[in-house]
Structures are given as structure tokens and as C-alpha cells.
Amino acid sequence: MKIGIIGSGGREHAICTFLKSSSKVDKIYCFPGNAGTNFIAENININLNNFQEVKDKIKELKIDIVIVGPEKPLVDGIVDFLEKNEIKVFGPNKISSQLEGSKIFTKKLCEKYKIPTANFGVFEDKEKSLNFLKKCKFPIVVKADGLASGKGVYICDNFEQSRIAVDEIFNGKFGKAKEILVEEFLKGEEMSFFIISDGKTYKKFGSAQDHKRVLEGDKGKNTGGMGAYSPSRLENEELDKKIIERIIDPTLKGLKDLNTNFKGFLYAGLMIVNNNPYLIEYNVRMGDPECQTILPRVETDFADIIYACVNQNLSSVDIQLSNKKSICIVLCSKGYPDKFENNIKINTINQIKLQKDNYIFHAGTRIDNSIIYSNGGRVLNFVIKSANLKESRDQAINLIKALNWENGFFRKDIGYKVIEQ
């Protein structure tokens, strides 16, 4: 098979890596890819907003299956467009992608299908939002409705913080805002729960714990993710059953009632309170950096799984996950998630020797004349799979130290809740 991967982050480099190890895959193209994918695939520099151009290139290269990594093209309807042009695509259509594209769409679905979630209010202007917030008990959560690269969520401890959040959202920090979401703060522990679906059947695809806050101890601003580990320490049979029965099944029924179905990865961001799940948000694709921690644990041929999905034959595949644990630490550009510099050389990366089950996935990088440069806030992902999470974390930190990139910073405490138990 020839496979095309849309995206340029750590998630796409990980997908590329595990497809490359399959004997079923002859060639991989990345649109546009990064410095890491450049070594195992052919990067195609293309405007992802121009679906016609993307389609023409896919046809020209005779690509058999396209995997869409990031959320924006999914929400914009790239799957519908490519499928109309008889291209096999792994990823959800435009209607299903509203689960991530609009937090308010998801909240209303939760309300209709009695999916457990935080109590919420939807407001269409600053004045109404602030009048409501004046009467609220804090902490409270304020969210931008649309896509915000994981950064449009504010956990506010007092009215002043919530006022700033409302101002920033309505002033267009995450694009034009017609509505804002205010919801109660649930006290518990977060968990990421994944399924994969072919539109007819679905299977569980592992769990993870993401660390979104920029500072150690889960403090500071929200980011796209500073690291993750898999599986989540909270995972157990009873909880899995509750998640499927109370959250996943009613969501898929809701989509069916809208005359559509879900194909691709669905990622439920959950808050677990006393072993009961509450839906915080959905992502309609593999998480980043959760993808980088889950894929090393997948023992079934990844290409077989994708092929079965696009041919609506997932029931024929037995998805096996390793009992080993994996951890991902994200090396970021100094200043992220605020202002940071790009185009800083990463000189020593090619000198790092990786052992078995050690990976460095490129996220925000580019390559020019064989020299690798930073090209984003989250630059590299250091992933280790082993029987012991503390060992994995220590190894990842040692690799980051060996890289010795002066423009980078990272969290040393990824997985602290499980490691320190």
C-alpha cells in the first residue's frame, strides 16, 4: 500500500513510524510532515486548506489510503471532500467532527442523551457571561467554543481570572467567538480514553494521562500537552464498562440519530470522580502527545488496523496492546505557550543513540540542507516503553540531557501521580 498522512506534528511522525514497520506498506507520503518524517517518508509541501490541491496530489501519487492527523482539516470537512472524490480516508466526516469543533455541540448532545458531564451555561456576549460569573462559586471553567489547539480552556479561581478569560475569548484570541461556555469545575483526576471505529463497529484503543499545564505539579497555563503516559493509572474493568455504557455508546447513538456515523479515532477526555466518568471534551483524532505513548504499545500490525477501518471490516482484527508502560516527555521552545523563537538549530540530535523501545518523535521541526531547526512551540517528543514508568521517565530525561539543546525546556514530573505512589 501507499499511504498518505496529513499533518506535521509528533502524532504524525509516530503514525508514520509504526506504519513504516509494516510489511504491507510500500511508501508513505506526509503532507507536509516535518524533519523526522523526512527520514522515513516523502514530505510533500502543500497548502492543507486547499482541498482541491491535496486531492490532485493524492490522485497523482496513486495513494491508497489517507490518514488525517490534526483536527482542523477534519472539522473543515476534508474527509467528506476526499470521499466524494473516491479516495479512502481514515478519519471522521464534518458532522462527526463537530464533537471537537464545537464544545457547545458536544454539551447539547450530552444534555439530550444524558451523558454525564459538568453542569454548564452557554452565553453569546461578554455582558451576559460576566453577569452569570458574578454569581458563580469558584473555581469555574471558561471555554472557547471552537478549536484552540488545547489552549482555549481557563480554570479560574476567582472572578477577576474569569473576566480576563471572557475578554480574551470574545476579543478573538482563538478566532471569532459567537458563544462562550462556562461550566462547573469537577474535582477528580483526568483520563484520556480512546476508541477506533470503522463506522459499524468500534474497539477500545488504550488509555493515557496527558499533562496539559506548562509547569510542574500541573500548574501554569494550558498547553497542547507537555507529556503523557499510557495506560492511565485509573484504568480498570469496571470503569471501562461505565465509560462505554454511559459515554461512548450514547455519543455514537447521538451521531446515528443525525444520520451519520463515526469513523476514525475518538478520544474522550474524562474526569474520573470516585470511579465514575464525566465527559470533559472529545477529540476526533488521536491525541498529541497521547498518540506517541499509545502506538508503541500496539502489538497488532498498525497498517492492518487502518486498512480494516477504511474497508469497514474492523471486527476481523484483534487489537492487542502490550502490558508494558510508556511515557512521553515533550521538549518545548523556551517561552511556550506564549512567545518563543523558531528556527533554532538542533545540532546534536543525529548523534543520539536510541535503544530498543526508545523513540524521538519530531513535532515542531523542519529540515534544510540536512540541518534540523525548531519550527514550533512543542519541538521533540522523547518516548520510552518499559515495564517500569519511573525507569522510562529517567531514560527519557537522560536522552533530553544528552541532546543538550539550550533553547528547550521540559517538565521533569510527567507521570508523577502514578510514579510517586
Side-chain angles (χ1 to χ4, degrees), residues 322-339:
S322 165
N323 289 325
K324 286 187 174 178
K325 299 163 172 40
S326 74
I327 201 159
C328 170
I329 299 179
V330 180
L331 182 64
C332 301
S333 296
K334 280 181 182 167
Y336 175 80
D338 297 314
K339 284 186 179 170

Side-chain angles (χ1 to χ4, degrees), residues 371-388:
I371 298 169
I372 295 170
Y373 298 86
S374 64
N375 188 36
R378 297 187 295 165
V379 181
L380 295 167
N381 308 148
F382 292 76
V383 178
I384 310 285
K385 180 178 80 173
S386 77
N388 180 293

